[in-house]
């Protein structure tokens, strides 16, 4: 009859235990004080070697509990999610992607069973299912963050998700971002005015001629709009309107660099003054019934048809022609950047106006802008507005077989006169 033998532990050191005629296991103290077990050794010598290895790893601080990696990713998700400290909008995005994509695929998988090859295969499957590349990138980023934290907690040896070093997508040509000329922006704005009102047009024009983000403009309040000084301020605490699910709230802008003052060309000062005089809401940009703007509603009712046209629809309330199909509100910001580059505005001035990070250390130290550079920037924007207006006036009386109204009549005359 077999009698189990044990080598007694000393000071929580790992020890070996015979559990069969030719079977040994290693026992060790886990972080929670319980005793863990590694079976499968055919001799006391090999088991003792493993016990000595565990003790050595503990002294070096590199020991990984073999049972820790058996934790299911679904079980790890809850404490991980509770530990992150991100903006509410980011938290809502993470929660949605984890519930809808990560948990269904990896929730019942042990942490130490998730491999780089498995994740790459999953990415490929997501692409075949038609998900946007940006969405896939965010999903994998979240999973990588979770596994990196699991490694930091010594649940697994390392994060198995590594940057892809091969494959056809590494060499794929990057898709060029859309942008619009000032004339195209003005045409889109006028069509938006015809669709939903003048306020939509002013918002589009302001975005293109300031480079401000959607949340920065929809969150802009009167107290941060200083038209006497020709500037708007993106506040560090309430400088952006955030949308999470059905709720809207004011909070900090996207980055620390986004906290900035944006100077305004003279035509835009007059335009914003007209807008402020037209309502008494604390926010500058609101709906006609005094509600805060929602991105999806504005895109559906104004931006998309104004940029894409609606000639394929049967009897819409107003006909609008395609201008730059596919152009998004955010790409008005990209358009602004493109104009600044074309007008040879210094890179530092561009970065400070758009709220971009200045990578170069020397440029960051000397990142102030000479007054003459600011004057040149504003003059260039004013000229672009004047030229866009002149182009629109030249084509205003062109015959139109769709019988659309004269869009120029939809904006106050002061907005169509260059300074």
């Amino acid at each position: 009859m077999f009698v189990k033998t044990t080598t007694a532990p000393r000071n929580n050191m790992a020890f070996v235990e015979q559990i069969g005629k030719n079977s040994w296991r290693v026992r060790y103290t886990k972080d929670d004080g319980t005793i863990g077990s590694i079976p499968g050794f055919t001799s006391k010598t090999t088991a003792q070697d493993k016990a000595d290895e565990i003790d050595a790893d503990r002294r070096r601080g590199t020991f990984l509990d073999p049972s820790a990696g058996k934790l299911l990713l679904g079980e790890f998700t809850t404490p991980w999610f509770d530990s992150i400290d991100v903006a509410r909008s980011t938290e809502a995005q993470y929660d949605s992607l984890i519930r809808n994509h990560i948990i269904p695929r990896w929730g019942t998988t042990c942490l130490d069973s998730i491999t780089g090859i498995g994740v790459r295969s999953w990415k490929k499957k997501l692409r075949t299912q038609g998900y946007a590349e940006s969405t896939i990138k965010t999903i994998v980023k979240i999973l990588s963050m979770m596994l990196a934290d699991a490694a930091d907690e010594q649940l697994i040896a390392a994060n198995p998700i590594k940057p892809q070093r091969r494959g056809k997508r590494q060499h794929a040509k990057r898709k060029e971002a859309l942008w619009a000329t000032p004339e195209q922006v003005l045409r889109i704005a006028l069509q938006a005015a015809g669709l939903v009102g003048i306020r939509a047009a002013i918002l589009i024009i302001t975005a293109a001629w300031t480079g401000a983000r959607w949340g920065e403009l929809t969150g802009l309040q009167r107290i941060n709009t200083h038209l006497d000084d020709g500037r708007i301020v993106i506040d560090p605490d309430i400088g952006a309107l955030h949308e999470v699910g059905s709720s809207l709230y004011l909070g900090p802008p996207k980055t620390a660099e986004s906290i900035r003052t944006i100077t305004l060309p003279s035509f835009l000062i007059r335009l914003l003054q007209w807008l402020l005089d037209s309502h008494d809401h604390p926010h500058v940009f609101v709906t006609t019934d005094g509600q805060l703007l929602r991105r999806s509603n504005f895109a559906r009712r104004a931006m998309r048809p104004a940029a894409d046209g609606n000639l394929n629809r049967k009897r819409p309330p107003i006909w609008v022609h395609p201008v730059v199909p596919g152009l998004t509100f955010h790409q008005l910001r990209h358009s602004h950047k493109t104009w600044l580059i074309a007008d040879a505005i210094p890179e530092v001035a561009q970065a400070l106006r758009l709220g971009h990070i200045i990578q170069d250390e020397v440029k960051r130290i000397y990142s102030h802008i000479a007054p003459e550079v600011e004057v040149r920037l504003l003059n260039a924007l004013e000229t672009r507005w004047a030229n866009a207006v002149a182009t629109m006036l030249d084509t205003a009386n062109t015959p139109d077989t769709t019988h659309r109204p004269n869009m120029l009549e939809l904006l106050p005359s002061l907005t169509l006169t260059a300074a």
Side-chain angles (χ1 to χ4, degrees):
M1 182 177 178
F2 171 76
V3 178
K4 182 170 70 173
T5 62
T6 301
T7 302
R10 304 183 306 278
N11 299 325
N12 289 333
M13 295 178 66
F15 60 95
V16 299
E17 185 177 79
Q18 187 176 10
I19 55 176
K21 185 176 181 182
N22 296 303
S23 180
W24 296 76
R25 66 181 177 184
V26 175
R27 307 300 299 275
Y28 59 94
T29 304
K30 301 171 69 172
D31 290 341
D32 61 4
T34 60
I35 302 298
S37 176
I38 307 175
F41 298 96
T42 58
S43 70
K44 181 178 180 180
T45 300
T46 55
Q48 187 60 55
D49 289 342
K50 181 62 179 179
D52 293 342
E53 177 186 326
I54 291 173
D55 291 337
D57 287 343
R58 281 194 187 278
R59 289 192 294 270
R60 290 191 295 263
T62 59
F63 173 66
L64 292 178
D65 185 349
S67 65
K70 302 306 176 185
L71 181 69
L72 301 181
L73 183 111
E75 298 172 336
F76 179 65
T77 298
T78 299
W80 179 83
F81 200 83
D82 290 342
S83 72
I84 62 174
D85 185 12
V86 294
R88 285 173 56 187
S89 57
T90 303
E91 183 176 306
Q93 180 192 38
Y94 285 8
D95 179 60
S96 175
L97 294 177
I98 289 171
R99 285 187 291 103
N100 293 309
H101 298 285
I102 295 177
I103 291 299
R105 171 59 183 87
W106 301 103
T108 57
T109 304
C110 297
L111 292 174
D112 62 2
S113 296
I114 301 175
T115 65
I117 290 177
V119 173
R120 289 196 295 273
S121 298
W122 178 50
K123 287 172 61 177
K124 182 179 179 181
K125 184 176 181 181
L126 290 174
R127 290 190 186 103
T128 62
Q129 293 173 345
Y131 290 103
E133 195 64 31
S134 59
T135 300
I136 297 172
K137 182 178 179 181
T138 303
I139 292 171
V140 175
K141 181 189 77 170
I142 296 170
L143 178 60
S144 180
M145 291 166 56
M146 296 174 70
L147 294 175
D149 286 343
D152 289 343
E153 294 295 319
Q154 295 188 318
L155 301 177
I156 54 177
N159 179 3
I161 300 178
K162 305 293 183 184
Q164 186 171 345
R165 298 183 295 274
R166 60 186 182 275
K168 64 180 181 180
R169 286 193 172 266
Q170 180 185 4
H171 305 290
K173 184 178 180 180
R174 177 176 293 182
K175 184 179 180 181
E176 292 292 332
L178 286 176
W179 65 282
T181 66
E183 293 80 7
Q184 290 170 328
V185 171
L186 181 53
R187 187 173 294 278
I188 291 170
L190 292 174
Q191 295 196 146
L195 290 162
V196 296
I198 292 174
R199 296 181 185 185
I202 298 175
L203 175 58
I204 290 171
I205 291 168
T206 305
W209 264 269
T210 64
R213 299 178 177 91
W214 166 267
E216 294 169 351
L217 291 178
T218 55
L220 182 64
Q221 298 186 77
R222 291 174 181 266
I223 57 174
N224 287 321
T225 305
H226 307 284
L227 298 185
D228 289 343
D229 298 328
R231 59 191 174 90
I232 58 176
V233 176
I234 309 303
D235 189 89
D237 300 315
I238 56 170
L241 182 67
H242 299 277
E243 186 172 349
V244 179
S246 60
S247 65
L248 295 169
Y249 68 95
L250 287 172
K254 184 176 182 180
T255 64
E257 289 75 19
S258 301
I259 302 166
R260 65 199 189 281
T261 296
I262 304 175
T263 53
L264 306 172
S266 58
F267 85 87
L268 193 53
I269 295 173
R270 298 194 304 275
L271 189 58
L272 291 176
Q273 187 61 64
W274 181 93
L275 179 62
L276 290 175
D277 291 343
S278 71
H279 67 80
D280 58 3
H281 196 282
H283 284 251
V284 176
F285 297 101
V286 291
T287 65
T288 54
D289 58 352
Q291 301 298 313
L292 296 178
L293 291 165
R294 291 183 179 274
R295 187 192 300 266
S296 59
N297 289 347
F298 187 85
R300 184 183 69 257
R301 299 178 59 218
M303 191 69 202
R304 287 276 44 83
D308 301 344
N310 63 5
L311 301 183
N312 60 333
R313 292 186 57 189
K314 292 183 178 180
R315 298 180 182 178
I318 180 173
W319 293 105
V320 288
H321 286 201
V323 182
V324 185
L327 186 79
T328 65
F329 190 92
H330 184 75
Q331 286 166 338
L332 296 171
R333 175 175 165 86
H334 180 65
S335 301
H336 187 78
K337 169 77 171 178
T338 303
W339 302 351
L340 297 182
I341 293 173
D343 291 329
I345 302 301
E347 184 181 349
V348 170
Q350 296 177 35
L352 292 177
R353 185 171 182 82
L354 291 164
H356 285 162
I357 298 173
I358 302 174
Q359 299 290 352
D360 187 283
E361 180 66 25
V362 175
K363 290 181 179 179
R364 187 159 55 246
I365 293 173
Y366 298 99
S367 60
H368 56 276
I369 301 176
E372 58 267 27
V373 173
E374 192 69 28
V375 170
R376 180 156 62 87
L377 185 155
L378 293 177
N379 285 341
L381 292 174
E382 192 76 29
T383 298
R384 286 184 174 274
W385 170 256
N387 291 340
V389 170
T391 300
M392 289 296 296
L393 288 172
D394 288 343
T395 60
N397 296 319
T398 302
D400 190 341
T401 57
T402 60
H403 306 293
R404 62 181 177 179
N406 181 358
M407 297 296 181
L408 294 176
E409 297 176 354
L410 297 172
L411 286 175
S413 59
L414 63 88
T415 71
L416 300 177
T417 303

